[in-house]
Amino acid sequence: MRRGFTLAVTIALVTVALAQQNVGIGTTTPHASALLHLESTSQGLLIPRLTQAQRDAISSPATGLLIYQTDNNPGFYYYSGTSWIPLLSSSSGSGLFWSLGGNAITDPNTQWLGTSTAQPLIIRTNNAERVRILATGEVGIGTTAPGQRLHVVGNVRSDGHVLIQNTDNTARELRLYEPSGSGSNYTAFRAQAQASDITYTLPASLTPTTAVGAGLLQTDASGNLSWVSPSAVIANAWALAGNAITSAWNGSTGSFLGTTNAQPLVIATTNTTTPQPIRFWVGNQQTLQLNPPGTSAPGWSIQRDAGGNTRGQYA
């Protein structure tokens, strides 16, 4: 009797399958698009659970076969026709999504983070845009419209060296632009061919030094910088401590203190609080003094000679 009942149920199920081409469990109206329609408010669908070894032992698995792997990265796996792939993964097995814990990729040429259309890649934190990479490769930090390969709006800090290199035998420039309201001109610094490394150290304070160092920085009309020896500058100027000239002015050549155009030579002391005289020394001896007006001293005086005799004065 039991065998007969089982047979009858089997025949009935087959008849339903043949008649409707779909089966409903938990429903009397399976959806026409579903071969198997399950409905329950207290139970789920249990997919066969296998270890990785058991999964790999399946003979000629059908493409699309689904199992739940219980060890070695547990989860749902489907057979792609050539290999077992974690569910929600690409055919390469790297995954369609980047995991919060990172992904074990195998080929960066096919597994990458980015866009596959001509649209920018945007990175956000706290739901605010922080980085934008344009489809043409420009990277913007703090800007949505980067105009250079790297465009940063805001302060940039480096705890290491900043290197500006080249591979095409053309030295690049460090450009400092003028205030935006004034225009778009810039001041640039660029290295030229040199025999060794050179490091310039900025002064430690704004206090000026009273000594002339090894060289003075000069520029020509084209902006080319070079070092010049202080002696080269002093050679064409009168030093405060005097100059060792080679020949005095003889009417046509030689060194002299004066003007070369139609302007007077003015020698003055301009302190009006404590007026000072103008003194002339010859042979390491004062020979003439011009005193400031309004004092008790004569207007000028010729100093005493070696014997102590006054040689002349003018009141």
Side-chain angles (χ1 to χ4, degrees):
M1 180 64 182
R2 185 175 180 179
R3 290 182 179 178
F5 176 76
T6 302
L7 179 60
V9 172
T10 301
I11 294 174
L13 291 175
V14 172
T15 302
V16 171
L18 292 175
Q20 299 185 109
Q21 297 299 315
N22 57 359
V23 175
I25 299 178
T27 178
T28 58
T29 57
H31 196 279
S33 64
L35 181 62
L36 176 62
H37 184 160
L38 308 178
E39 281 196 13
S40 175
T41 59
S42 60
Q43 295 175 298
L45 175 65
L46 186 60
I47 299 296
R49 294 165 291 177
L50 295 78
T51 64
Q52 182 178 354
Q54 292 170 334
R55 180 203 71 182
D56 294 340
I58 298 175
S59 178
S60 302
T63 299
L65 187 65
L66 179 67
I67 63 102
Y68 181 86
Q69 184 172 304
T70 58
D71 62 352
N72 299 330
N73 296 320
F76 289 99
Y77 285 75
Y78 72 92
Y79 192 71
S80 67
T82 57
S83 62
W84 288 98
I85 306 298
L87 198 61
L88 299 179
S89 297
S90 66
S91 59
S92 64
S94 63
L96 291 177
F97 306 100
W98 286 96
S99 170
L100 293 179
N103 292 57
I105 65 173
T106 57
D107 185 357
N109 294 314
T110 59
Q111 302 162 344
W112 39 267
L113 175 66
T115 66
S116 58
T117 58
Q119 297 296 323
L121 173 65
I122 297 174
I123 299 176
R124 295 187 174 209
T125 61
N126 198 25
N127 202 31
E129 180 175 329
R130 307 302 182 189
V131 180
R132 177 178 292 239
I133 305 175
L134 299 185
T136 49
E138 291 81 2
V139 179
I141 301 177
T143 175
T144 59
Q148 299 294 331
R149 186 62 67 184
L150 176 60
H151 187 163
V152 179
V153 176
N155 296 333
V156 177
R157 174 176 175 173
S158 172
D159 289 335
H161 299 297
V162 177
L163 308 179
I164 302 178
Q165 297 178 316
N166 66 88
T167 57
D168 56 0
N169 199 34
T170 300
R172 299 303 192 267
E173 299 174 344
L174 174 63
R175 297 181 177 181
L176 306 176
Y177 281 82
E178 63 181 333
S180 58
S182 302
S184 58
N185 296 316
Y186 60 83
T187 298
F189 296 92
R190 178 174 57 192
Q192 58 181 326
Q194 52 196 57
S196 61
D197 295 337
I198 301 175
T199 299
Y200 297 107
T201 303
L202 297 176
S205 70
L206 294 176
T207 303
T209 179
T210 58
V212 178
L216 303 175
L217 190 63
Q218 69 173 2
T219 179
D220 60 15
S222 299
N224 297 309
L225 299 176
S226 61
W227 291 105
V228 60
S229 171
S231 60
V233 178
I234 298 175
N236 296 316
W238 289 98
L240 293 178
N243 292 61
I245 63 175
T246 56
S247 62
W249 179 255
N250 58 15
S252 58
T253 61
S255 301
F256 67 94
L257 176 64
T259 65
T260 58
N261 59 356
Q263 296 295 327
L265 172 64
V266 177
I267 301 175
T269 60
T270 60
N271 189 312
T272 59
T273 302
T274 308
Q276 299 297 316
I278 296 176
R279 297 167 180 168
F280 295 87
W281 289 66
V282 178
N284 205 28
Q285 181 178 350
Q286 180 177 328
T287 59
L288 177 63
Q289 176 171 305
L290 304 179
N291 297 308
T295 64
S296 59
W300 60 269
S301 63
I302 298 177
Q303 302 302 307
R304 300 179 185 275
D305 58 18
N309 302 312
T310 299
R311 299 178 60 185
Q313 62 181 10
Y314 172 74

